[in-house]
Every structure is written in structure tokens, then in C-alpha cells.
Amino acid sequence: MAPSHSTSGLRPDRFDRDGRDQLIDVRDLRAALPGIRRLRHWAHQALAVRPGESAVDIGSGSGSEVLTFADAVGADGTAVGVEPDPDLLAAAERRAHQAGSAARFLPGDAYNLPLSNDSFDVALCERVFQHLTAPQRAVGEIARVLRPGGRVVVMDSDWGTAIVHPGDRHVVRQVIETLISGTTDPFAGRRLPGLLTQAGLVIDDVGSHALVQEHSVGAGALVARVSAMAVARGSITEQQREQLLADLEAGARTGDIHLSVTIFAVLAHKPE
């Protein structure tokens, strides 16, 4: 299995106002968008939405995947996006109006979906769980709104898989640990199958895809920010930080650079 996927406008407080991670933002992964698009493509193929079905995207952002659902379900189906950010909701509604799409958008979060029990054939939830303090509640909501036989794809990053090369191994390790400690659920990706199983769903497929930052970006905004936080918490010195950034910039010039994180994707269904 080779997943594919994408999101825009994600904010640390978007799904859980108790979550305090200030580090992860989709804009930091902008250079990896081709990989995200591949993940999304896999998700739509795996879900295989049919005309007349009902589909929901939980944490729908600016609405792109809901519009894709709307095209797939046709005039007799339903495509809904649930999103807590009012600005993103407004942007998604404008996008749907401009496209002449029947996609609809509702305010709500992963803990309290504004949807009836057993009401959807298909659900998608992308990079939401890393921001949640109570993922069991969210996966319970997914199981609640799916009809018997309904399918879901849940995807999320696992920051324990982060790779930063080149650089002193001790310094890199401290920077990655700073990133992990500043994320609400940094290991969300690896936990998805267990969470879905505990909610009574049946796992059909599990895959992964490494999002690799384009080498010309160099250290990038995320490493620059997290390394500064590592200095602030006393994990590394400013001199070590400057050397790391210099090593990465040199690696970008020679092609000897690799920055990536792995996203895991799980396809599951609700038993009949």
C-alpha cells in the first residue's frame, strides 16, 4: 500500500483548545505537498466513494477534500465538512460556491461532531489526532456517525520518525526531542490502529508515506524554530544550533540533506 494526502491552514489550537503544541503547522511542510497529495489520492481510492453515498471530512480546513467527495457522491449524495475554525469554514464555503459544488460545511470539532448516529457511509480525518489530548473521544465520534459497513481513513504524522540530516547526532536528537515534547500527541500515527480497534472498528489496511522536504529549502522554518526552542530549554547551546543550521545549509548546497517525517494512514470499517 502506498498512501497519499494534504491539508492547509492547520493551527495548533484548531482541534483541541487544551492542546498547547506550538510547533506543528502544515505551512512547515509546504515543500512536502507532493507527498501529501499522493496520500490524499490513496485515501480517496481506498474509500472508493460511490454515487448516492454520504461522506464527511473531519477537520476539513479550506474544503478541498469535501469538494472531491461532492463530485464522487453526485446529486443524490451528501458531502459534508466539519471544521471548528470560522475563517476556514468561510473560505471553504466560498470555495464551494465558486465551484458550483453541493458540498456543505458545519462548525464543530472532533470531540462533538454535529452529525446523527449511523448517518455516514464514509469518513476522512487527516492530521487531527496529533493535536488531541483525548483521542479516544474523537475515534468514538467517528464510530458513532458511521453507518454499519461504513469506511474511514484516518491519517496522522508520527514525529518519532523524524529525520534531520546532516548534523551532530546529539544535537539532532535534542532538537527532535524538543519537537516531540512540544506536540500534544507526537506519536499519533503509530497509535491509530489501536485507537480504531478499541472503538469497535475493523482495520482493513495500514500504510505509511514519508514526507520529505525539498532539499533546496535547507533547514526550513520548522527546524529553525524548534532548534531555537531547544536552546531556550537548555538542551543545546546557541553555538550548537548555529552549527546545525550551517550544516543543513551546506547539505542543501551539495545535495547531502534529508529532512522528513512519516505519516501513517489507516483504512477501517464499521462492522455490519
Side-chain angles (χ1 to χ4, degrees):
M1 164 181 158
S4 296
H5 155 239
S6 173
T7 298
S8 58
L10 212 60
R11 297 192 332 207
D13 64 347
R14 188 172 146 201
F15 303 105
D16 189 336
R17 300 197 182 280
D18 293 329
R20 294 187 295 274
D21 43 308
Q22 300 297 313
L23 303 178
I24 310 306
D25 192 303
V26 162
R27 289 170 295 182
D28 294 320
L29 297 174
R30 186 162 293 165
L33 283 178
I36 294 178
R37 285 196 295 269
R38 286 192 292 273
L39 277 170
R40 282 188 168 180
H41 177 70
W42 173 83
H44 286 289
Q45 285 190 321
L47 290 169
V49 179
R50 299 183 289 269
E53 289 192 316
S54 55
V56 59
D57 183 10
I58 301 163
S60 53
S62 59
S64 61
E65 305 317 292
V66 188
L67 268 64
T68 300
F69 280 153
D71 289 341
V73 301
D76 296 327
T78 301
V80 175
V82 176
E83 170 58 50
D85 187 309
D87 294 331
L88 289 174
L89 270 178
E93 289 168 349
R94 286 194 301 271
R95 187 174 190 172
H97 177 73
Q98 291 166 358
S101 174
R104 296 189 296 113
F105 298 91
L106 301 173
D109 60 41
Y111 293 147
N112 297 285
L113 297 177
L115 308 170
S116 301
N117 295 350
D118 304 324
S119 56
F120 279 80
D121 300 295
V122 169
L124 174 66
C125 188
E126 176 192 322
R127 279 185 291 175
V128 170
F129 278 74
Q130 65 182 293
H131 300 287
L132 300 180
T133 56
Q136 297 86 352
R137 284 180 55 193
V139 79
E141 279 291 274
I142 292 173
R144 178 183 69 79
V145 303
L146 279 179
R147 290 175 176 147
R151 297 95 69 199
V152 60
V153 165
V154 184
M155 309 180 196
D156 226 305
S157 307
D158 190 309
W159 292 96
T161 67
I163 296 174
V164 176
H165 167 81
D168 178 273
R169 294 176 71 177
H170 167 75
V171 175
V172 167
R173 184 165 58 250
Q174 292 304 317
V175 169
I176 292 175
E177 284 300 315
T178 298
L179 171 60
I180 287 171
S181 67
T183 305
T184 301
D185 189 353
F187 307 116
R190 71 187 68 177
R191 292 175 172 155
L192 293 176
L195 286 167
L196 291 166
T197 300
Q198 291 163 23
L201 301 177
V202 177
I203 306 301
D204 298 306
D205 204 353
V206 179
S208 63
H209 190 89
L211 297 183
V212 182
Q213 181 167 283
E214 215 287 313
H215 71 87
S216 63
V217 176
L222 182 59
V223 172
R225 188 166 71 235
V226 177
S227 60
M229 296 183 72
V231 172
R233 72 198 296 238
S235 299
I236 62 174
T237 66
E238 180 59 34
Q239 183 178 4
Q240 288 174 316
R241 175 180 184 261
E242 291 174 359
Q243 185 61 56
L244 174 62
L245 298 180
D247 289 344
L248 290 167
E249 292 302 327
R253 290 192 296 272
T254 63
D256 181 24
I257 186 171
H258 180 98
L259 294 96
S260 70
V261 66
T262 299
I263 287 187
F264 291 91
V266 181
L267 170 68
H269 73 273
K270 185 173 180 176
E272 298 277 0

